[in-house]
Amino acid sequence: MSQILELVKSSIKSIPDYPKKGIIFRDITSLLEVPQAFQATVDLITAHYKDKGITKVVGTESRGFIFGAPVALALGLPFVLVRKPRKLPRETIAQNYQLEYGEDTLEIHIDAISTEDNVLIIDDLLATGGTVEATVKLIRRLGGKVEHAAFIIKLPELGGAERLQKVGITSYNLVSFDGH
Ligand SMILES: O=P(O)(O)OC[C@H]1O[C@H](OP(=O)(O)OP(=O)(O)O)[C@H](O)[C@@H]1O
Ligand SMILES: Nc1ncnc2[nH]cnc12
């Protein structure tokens, strides 16, 4: 692993048994407190997608906002928010999904994506892939094209990358952690 990826990985703290027993919480707030690591995550994702014909970046609430917004700015592209229910003020569509530890709904503004769009989804972490699959469905229901999703962290044992592959999404991640 490169020195910069080592820095990114070592700046993510692991908290056992949070939010419940058996889960090791991979905490990106500690990464955000290391400017060189935060900058590197944004730079690496931006470089990866620079010439891929992306027209919009979508970030999922809430940690996806932290990384999605600076990547969108660095690519010079619009940033679109996918949010938990009743947070978006204009007309929305909703999609239910399963989490590693629960169930939830995500929403998007119907006028935020058009049939002309080729979307990149950004989130902090890929676990089961449920959050991103729901986001993919929202974008496609609005006629947008989406083939790429980027994450800082992948938890390979939870099978998110394979789940996304089945729905035609190629995922890119900076670091991986064993366990749940
Ligand atoms: O691949 P999955 O199994 O769907 O899990 C990953 C998702 O879970 C976490 O978000 P969470 O819903 O906890 O919301 P938060 O970002 O607001 O903390 C994380 O930020 C990802 O969005
Ligand atoms: N293990 C984990 N750590 C941090 N965020 C998560 N979201 C889903 N699983 C997670």
Side-chain angles (χ1 to χ4, degrees), residues 23-26 63 100-101 124-125 127 155 180:
I23 305 277
I24 305 172
F25 194 84
R26 309 297 179 176
R63 289 173 259 159
E100 187 184 356
Y101 36 77
D124 69 322
L125 181 142
L155 306 181
H180 284 212

Side-chain angles (χ1 to χ4, degrees), residues 129-167:
T131 305
V132 175
E133 189 179 352
T135 304
V136 167
K137 285 181 180 162
L138 286 170
I139 294 162
R140 289 183 179 159
R141 281 168 60 192
L142 295 176
K145 177 175 152 189
V146 53
E147 294 172 343
H148 297 282
F151 308 87
I152 318 309
I153 302 164
K154 176 165 82 169
L155 306 181
E157 287 170 39
L158 288 160
E162 293 73 21
R163 179 173 178 174
L164 289 185
Q165 216 168 21
K166 283 193 191 131
V167 292

Side-chain angles (χ1 to χ4, degrees), residues 4-162:
I4 196 72
L5 286 179
E6 295 277 9
L7 172 72
V8 169
K9 190 163 184 175
S10 65
S11 69
I12 298 164
K13 289 187 177 160
S14 295
I15 295 98
D17 298 325
Y18 181 89
K20 66 178 197 187
K21 208 167 168 46
I23 305 277
I24 305 172
F25 194 84
R26 309 297 179 176
D27 179 20
I28 54 89
T29 68
S30 48
L31 179 154
L32 302 174
E33 292 166 13
V34 181
Q36 199 193 348
F38 187 12
Q39 186 72 59
T41 62
V42 173
D43 291 348
L44 286 164
I45 295 172
T46 302
H48 192 80
Y49 291 103
K50 204 157 62 78
D51 300 311
K52 296 228 165 38
I54 304 294
T55 65
K56 277 180 188 158
V57 176
V58 165
T60 49
E61 183 165 357
S62 62
R63 289 173 259 159
F65 297 168
I66 298 166
F67 299 98
V71 169
L73 280 179
L75 290 170
L77 295 174
F79 182 57
V80 173
L81 277 62
V82 162
R83 295 208 66 179
K84 307 271 165 80
R86 298 173 299 279
K87 298 282 187 184
L88 293 169
R90 305 196 305 272
E91 193 181 344
T92 58
I93 55 167
Q95 187 73 46
N96 258 70
Y97 68 106
Q98 295 289 325
L99 267 182
E100 187 184 356
Y101 36 77
E103 192 188 336
D104 219 331
T105 302
L106 287 173
E107 296 182 350
I108 192 168
H109 279 137
I110 62 164
D111 62 0
I113 300 292
S114 82
T115 52
E116 310 293 302
D117 284 321
N118 182 19
V119 176
L120 166 64
I121 300 172
I122 299 195
D123 204 349
D124 69 322
L125 181 142
L126 177 63
T128 65
T131 305
V132 175
E133 189 179 352
T135 304
V136 167
K137 285 181 180 162
L138 286 170
I139 294 162
R140 289 183 179 159
R141 281 168 60 192
L142 295 176
K145 177 175 152 189
V146 53
E147 294 172 343
H148 297 282
F151 308 87
I152 318 309
I153 302 164
K154 176 165 82 169
L155 306 181
E157 287 170 39
L158 288 160
E162 293 73 21

